Amino acid sequence: MVMKWTAVCLVALALFGSFCDAQWKKNKQTQDPVIPQQTKQTFNEPLKWEFPLVQEPEPGPKVAFELRHPVPAKTVAVECREKDAHVEVKKDFFGIGQLVNPADLFLGTCGPVAEDTGAQVLIFVSELHDCASSLRMEENYLIYTFQLNYDPQSLGPSPVVRTSKAAVIVECHYPRKHNVSSLPIDPQWIPFSAVKYAEEFLYFTLKLMTDDFQYERPSYQYYLGDIINIEATVMLYYHVPLRVYVESCVATLSPETNSNPRYVFLESGCLLDARITGSDSKFMPRTADHKLQFQLEAFRFKNAESGLLYITCHLRASSAAHPIDSGHRACSYINGWKEAGGTDAACGSCESGQVDTPGKWGGGQTSGGTTTGTSTANWGGASDRKIRDVSQTETFEWEGDVTLGPIPIEEKVAS
């Protein structure tokens, strides 16, 4: 028992001694100043370090390159036969050197029936009502439509394709109306209705033409000094060959031919503008009897605010067998009077002003300018037909008035 208590006392004494020693060290640390283990580094000069510059790559040489955009390849051809459609398709369907798999190409629901291995061409043949074709009816045609479908499958075991889906419409047009006789017949007679139509009506026109007189001019705009090319025509239909003449022409500011100011620049088949104003206006040499071409130098009416002109011409058509004379002529003043068909003797009365047939627009003239616009055609009716000569041989003629305009004439701006 004494030993037990002695051990307890020794343990307690040891713990108390350790506590006192720790307390003493703590008080000593509190009283003595702590000397730091690290000091702040200072620099006499500022730091000169910088982030390294990133070097840009040198530009490469310029290469001539142009991106090519794909264009449709002409690889499908069709022959429309009496009962079926024959379609040929190049295996290089897209024109890129990549041959298609014939199993991927269908005409409607039908596959190719043959292949030209030498030309690398697939051949499809389908009756007009087969292969999911459709029929469309128009006024003059029956149209059978097929759809050529291309649906590429993946190449081999890979999941890739090198061409895209495509569809091409193939059409066959068949006329609804046609001659079912064995041979075409050229009749030696003309039905009465056609003769009557041709006798009673002729169609006169005036058109603005391009410089070479090959096409109708798309623009009606002119400027002072321009040359206006005008063509007068008569439609023949079933009639005997006719020759057209420009009897007279008047220029006005409105469609009304009797309005003022007005300028009669062509009278009794004589183009007076060149003789009066010194212009280059003239008839062109005849190239065909049913049409007559002439040139008019552009002009404006003095003190007129409007630059629009209307040209109204009186046209006449007579048999081409009738000779050119003082009543049937197209005369221009080119260092003397010249006739468009070469019969200059018919122009003898142009200079004196004495004409066999008085002009429709007779009278005055004013200074002015020229022309552009749309034309109003005239049907020369039976009332306009007249007999020129009272003799055993009758010469029938047709007459009509045609208005061309409005034609804007602008002034040229001086630079």
Side-chain angles (χ1 to χ4, degrees), residues 197-216:
Y197 183 83
E199 280 189 351
E200 298 300 329
F201 295 100
L202 289 178
Y203 194 59
F204 293 104
T205 62
L206 276 182
K207 294 186 293 184
L208 297 177
M209 306 296 291
T210 55
D211 292 341
D212 57 2
F213 282 97
Q214 295 298 313
Y215 306 98
E216 188 170 358

Side-chain angles (χ1 to χ4, degrees), residues 153-347:
Q153 304 300 316
S154 57
L155 299 174
S158 69
V160 302
V161 294
R162 300 196 184 279
T163 51
S164 58
K165 291 184 179 181
V168 178
I169 302 300
V170 178
E171 291 186 347
C172 283
H173 294 233
Y174 295 89
R176 292 181 60 189
K177 304 174 184 178
H178 59 278
N179 185 6
V180 296
S181 61
S182 59
L183 292 173
I185 300 176
D186 186 11
Q188 301 300 316
W189 51 272
I190 300 177
F192 172 77
S193 59
V195 175
K196 188 70 174 175
Y197 183 83
E199 280 189 351
E200 298 300 329
F201 295 100
L202 289 178
Y203 194 59
F204 293 104
T205 62
L206 276 182
K207 294 186 293 184
L208 297 177
M209 306 296 291
T210 55
D211 292 341
D212 57 2
F213 282 97
Q214 295 298 313
Y215 306 98
E216 188 170 358
R217 194 174 191 266
S219 174
Y220 298 152
Q221 179 67 61
Y222 289 91
Y223 294 89
L224 289 179
D226 289 348
I227 297 297
I228 301 171
N229 300 301
I230 303 175
E231 182 178 86
T233 59
V234 59
M235 300 299 295
L236 299 180
Y237 296 103
Y238 298 103
H239 210 285
V240 296
L242 297 175
R243 184 181 295 122
V244 67
Y245 298 93
V246 182
E247 175 90 3
S248 54
C249 290
V250 60
T252 54
L253 293 175
S254 69
E256 178 55 49
T257 57
N258 293 323
S259 62
N260 286 311
R262 58 197 302 270
Y263 176 40
V264 180
F265 60 86
L266 199 156
E267 181 74 9
S268 300
C270 303
L271 188 52
L272 305 173
D273 184 63
R275 186 65 173 133
I276 296 172
T277 67
S279 69
D280 293 329
S281 302
K282 62 180 181 294
F283 281 105
M284 306 300 292
R286 274 192 188 271
T287 58
D289 287 332
H290 70 283
K291 62 183 177 181
L292 181 60
Q293 301 162 343
F294 64 95
Q295 294 181 327
L296 182 66
E297 190 172 337
F299 62 87
R300 290 168 61 105
F301 286 108
K302 185 178 181 180
N303 299 327
E305 295 182 359
S306 173
L308 300 181
L309 289 183
Y310 289 85
I311 294 178
T312 304
C313 294
H314 187 69
L315 305 185
R316 180 194 302 167
S318 62
S319 172
H322 189 282
I324 297 175
D325 54 24
S326 58
H328 305 80
R329 61 191 178 184
C331 298
S332 308
Y333 188 80
I334 310 172
N335 296 324
W337 290 97
K338 309 292 182 181
E339 209 280 327
T343 310
D344 297 342
C347 303

Side-chain angles (χ1 to χ4, degrees), residues 38-259:
Q38 296 180 348
T39 59
K40 181 179 180 181
Q41 185 179 5
T42 59
F43 299 93
N44 297 327
E45 296 181 0
L47 293 176
K48 296 182 179 180
W49 182 87
E50 295 180 354
F51 284 98
L53 296 177
V54 179
Q55 295 183 356
E56 297 183 358
E58 295 182 0
K62 292 184 178 179
V63 179
F65 174 77
E66 181 180 357
L67 180 62
R68 295 182 180 179
H69 295 279
V71 296
K74 297 180 180 180
T75 55
V76 180
V78 59
E79 179 185 359
C80 298
R81 299 174 178 175
E82 184 176 355
K83 298 189 302 180
D84 54 38
H86 180 93
V87 182
E88 295 185 357
V89 183
K90 292 182 180 180
K91 293 186 70 176
D92 185 7
F93 186 59
F94 293 95
I96 59 176
Q98 183 74 28
L99 302 184
V100 301
N101 185 355
D104 298 340
L105 202 59
F106 292 89
L107 182 66
T109 57
C110 303
V113 297
E115 179 180 349
D116 186 344
T117 56
Q120 296 291 334
V121 171
L122 300 175
I123 300 173
F124 298 81
V125 178
S126 170
E127 292 190 1
L128 298 179
H129 293 283
D130 288 347
C131 299
S133 67
S134 61
L135 172 62
R136 185 173 78 255
M137 186 178 301
E138 295 186 353
E139 181 178 359
N140 297 320
Y141 292 95
L142 295 174
I143 302 176
Y144 291 88
T145 303
F146 299 85
Q147 183 165 313
L148 182 66
N149 296 307
Y150 173 63
D151 186 8
Q153 304 300 316
S154 57
L155 299 174
S158 69
V160 302
V161 294
R162 300 196 184 279
T163 51
S164 58
K165 291 184 179 181
V168 178
I169 302 300
V170 178
E171 291 186 347
C172 283
H173 294 233
Y174 295 89
R176 292 181 60 189
K177 304 174 184 178
H178 59 278
N179 185 6
V180 296
S181 61
S182 59
L183 292 173
I185 300 176
D186 186 11
Q188 301 300 316
W189 51 272
I190 300 177
F192 172 77
S193 59
V195 175
K196 188 70 174 175
Y197 183 83
E199 280 189 351
E200 298 300 329
F201 295 100
L202 289 178
Y203 194 59
F204 293 104
T205 62
L206 276 182
K207 294 186 293 184
L208 297 177
M209 306 296 291
T210 55
D211 292 341
D212 57 2
F213 282 97
Q214 295 298 313
Y215 306 98
E216 188 170 358
R217 194 174 191 266
S219 174
Y220 298 152
Q221 179 67 61
Y222 289 91
Y223 294 89
L224 289 179
D226 289 348
I227 297 297
I228 301 171
N229 300 301
I230 303 175
E231 182 178 86
T233 59
V234 59
M235 300 299 295
L236 299 180
Y237 296 103
Y238 298 103
H239 210 285
V240 296
L242 297 175
R243 184 181 295 122
V244 67
Y245 298 93
V246 182
E247 175 90 3
S248 54
C249 290
V250 60
T252 54
L253 293 175
S254 69
E256 178 55 49
T257 57
N258 293 323
S259 62

